[in-house]
Amino acid sequence: MSEPANQAQRRQYLIRTLLEEQPRYRNIPIPGDAGEQERLLRSLMNVRPPRPIGERFLAVQDQYLRETRGECTDIADLTPSAEGLYLWQGDITTLRCDAIVNAANRGMTGCYVPCHRCIDNCIHTRAGVQLRLECASLMAKQGHEEATGQAKITGAYNLPCRYVIHTVGPVVSGALTEREEAQLASCYLSCLKLAEENGLKSIAFCCISTGEFHFPNDRAAEIAVKTVRPHRTNAEMKVIFNVFKDIDYQLYQRLLAAD
């Protein structure tokens, strides 16, 4: 069987393979539009259970994902905002550093909602199906869901970083509590601890629990900076605060400029 020669052929091969895996999807037609095909592929990856798949699929998937990820930003090209601390606005899945932090749920195997806008969905989609499989293996060994404030480290597969550190932030459903603030601080400490234990020299934090978990942006930023600054015990460790929204950029810019 000949190998797919270009991105369009790779995308269609991946879609056909994933459709054939599950009988209930086999009659779904492949749209002609490239954008709709990409959305279908992402949806199929999002809903796929953590189970092995053939080496040919993985080879084609890896080539496809690496060619579609676009231009990456290297930590070496960033300017620190304070000693060892950086602020960068952009897509964390395009950041080249030792580890990026994923805001995960307690199941720790990614977001199963097709094309959901959360960072968990984006990271798993762009890393490839191997990431969910590794996460599921870790959770099977653990035997229970991850506690809020704790973290796990995995490979990054098709992302430009080396590792992904998955942490479970608190979900805020009403007035913010001291317990939820302590849990968020624990997320940052748990990630830093894993980074140091694994000899990493750089880590990029997303805005944990803000977005879909409804933690107030201003207080989340305060806790992040207040927690990371004194606990960056390794002087060589570079910490990036990655933001996507303008409001978060302004919050971190002010906090990092303060003494």
Side-chain angles (χ1 to χ4, degrees), residues 132-150:
R132 177 167 286 171
L133 191 61
E134 182 178 357
C135 288
S137 177
L138 289 175
M139 297 311 291
K141 291 177 183 176
Q142 179 166 284
H144 57 81
E145 290 186 330
E146 190 76 348
T148 302
Q150 298 303 302

Side-chain angles (χ1 to χ4, degrees), residues 72-243:
C72 295
T73 298
D74 197 297
I75 186 175
D77 297 327
L78 301 181
T79 301
S81 299
E83 184 179 358
L85 302 177
Y86 297 72
L87 175 60
W88 181 69
Q89 185 174 21
D91 180 353
I92 200 170
T93 66
T94 66
L95 187 56
R96 184 175 288 113
C97 59
D98 282 350
I100 63 171
V101 172
N102 176 27
N105 56 53
R106 294 189 65 189
M108 294 289 277
T109 60
C111 171
Y112 288 79
V113 180
C115 296
H116 197 247
R117 63 182 183 177
C118 70
I119 191 171
D120 198 13
N121 188 295
C122 292
I123 286 175
H124 274 266
T125 298
R126 295 172 189 175
V129 299
Q130 302 99 312
L131 181 56
R132 177 167 286 171
L133 191 61
E134 182 178 357
C135 288
S137 177
L138 289 175
M139 297 311 291
K141 291 177 183 176
Q142 179 166 284
H144 57 81
E145 290 186 330
E146 190 76 348
T148 302
Q150 298 303 302
K152 292 278 190 294
I153 187 169
T154 67
Y157 300 97
N158 294 293
L159 296 167
C161 57
R162 294 172 57 206
Y163 299 94
V164 178
I165 298 178
H166 311 258
T167 190
V168 182
V171 179
V172 178
S173 57
L176 186 63
T177 65
E178 290 184 2
R179 181 172 183 267
E180 289 162 344
E181 291 185 337
Q183 288 173 329
L184 183 60
S186 178
C187 288
Y188 287 93
L189 294 175
S190 296
C191 292
L192 286 173
K193 183 172 183 289
L194 277 176
E196 292 177 358
E197 288 175 350
N198 287 272
L200 308 188
K201 297 297 194 304
S202 58
I203 180 173
F205 285 102
C206 62
C207 298
I208 303 166
S209 276
T210 58
E212 299 297 319
F213 283 10
H214 308 298
F215 205 106
N217 295 62
D218 54 351
R219 186 61 183 135
E222 291 170 359
I223 291 170
V225 174
K226 181 181 178 181
T227 305
V228 168
R229 255 189 171 139
H231 288 91
R232 194 180 62 87
T233 55
N234 182 351
E236 295 182 2
M237 175 72 73
K238 297 177 179 179
V239 176
I240 306 164
F241 293 107
N242 164 247
V243 299

Side-chain angles (χ1 to χ4, degrees), residues 56-70:
R56 183 168 187 259
F57 176 92
L58 294 178
V60 174
Q61 174 211 247
D62 291 354
Q63 188 171 7
Y64 180 78
L65 291 175
R66 290 176 185 180
E67 289 193 21
T68 56
R69 72 186 179 192

